[in-house]
Amino acid sequence: MFIMELIGIFNKKDVPEEYESFVSYKANMDNKTIKDNDQIAILRIANTQSYHVLFLDLYNNMGEIEKELEEKVDGKIFNFNTKNIIEGHLNGK
C-alpha cells in the first residue's frame, strides 16, 4: 500500500501551475466542472512523482476519501495531521 502525502488544499485559481494538468485530468475523469471556490486537495504518492486529486465537494466524509484512495491508487493516508486537515475542510463546506 502506498503512503499518500498532502501537497495542499487549494481553490481553483490558487492551484500551482505544476499541478494544473493533474487537476484537469481528474476533472475530466470525474466529469466535473470546477468552480472558482471548489476546494481541491492534491496528494502525492510517497516516493513517486505521481499525484491524486480530490475535489472535496464530492465527498461527505473521510471514509469516502479513504475508500477511493484504497481502490484507485492502493494508497492510504497514515499521517494524523493530514487526515485532520482534510476533515476540517470537509466539515467546513
Side-chain angles (χ1 to χ4, degrees):
M1 185 163 284
F2 294 103
I3 297 171
M4 307 300 294
E5 301 170 334
L6 181 65
I7 297 297
I9 298 176
F10 309 94
N11 289 331
K12 178 183 177 183
K13 65 180 173 51
D14 298 324
V15 171
E17 187 176 331
E18 64 262 32
Y19 305 116
E20 287 176 352
S21 61
F22 295 99
V23 172
S24 295
Y25 176 79
K26 183 71 160 56
N28 286 333
M29 295 298 292
D30 290 352
N31 197 26
K32 174 159 179 59
T33 301
I34 308 168
K35 296 176 274 187
D36 287 338
N37 62 342
D38 283 347
Q39 292 190 324
I40 303 164
I42 299 178
L43 302 169
R44 181 170 69 92
I45 301 171
N47 302 317
T48 73
Q49 293 183 6
S50 296
Y51 300 90
H52 189 76
V53 174
L54 301 168
F55 299 108
L56 297 183
D57 65 316
L58 299 179
Y59 306 94
N60 294 310
N61 57 57
M62 197 64 201
E64 292 177 357
I65 290 174
E66 290 174 330
K67 181 179 179 186
E68 177 176 319
L69 294 175
E70 247 183 76
E71 292 176 355
K72 299 213 174 172
V73 294
D74 192 28
K76 184 172 177 106
I77 298 171
F78 288 98
N79 185 294
F80 181 75
N81 291 330
T82 295
K83 285 183 181 182
N84 280 340
I85 291 167
I86 294 172
E87 281 182 315
H89 284 271
L90 286 175
N91 293 332
K93 62 178 175 176

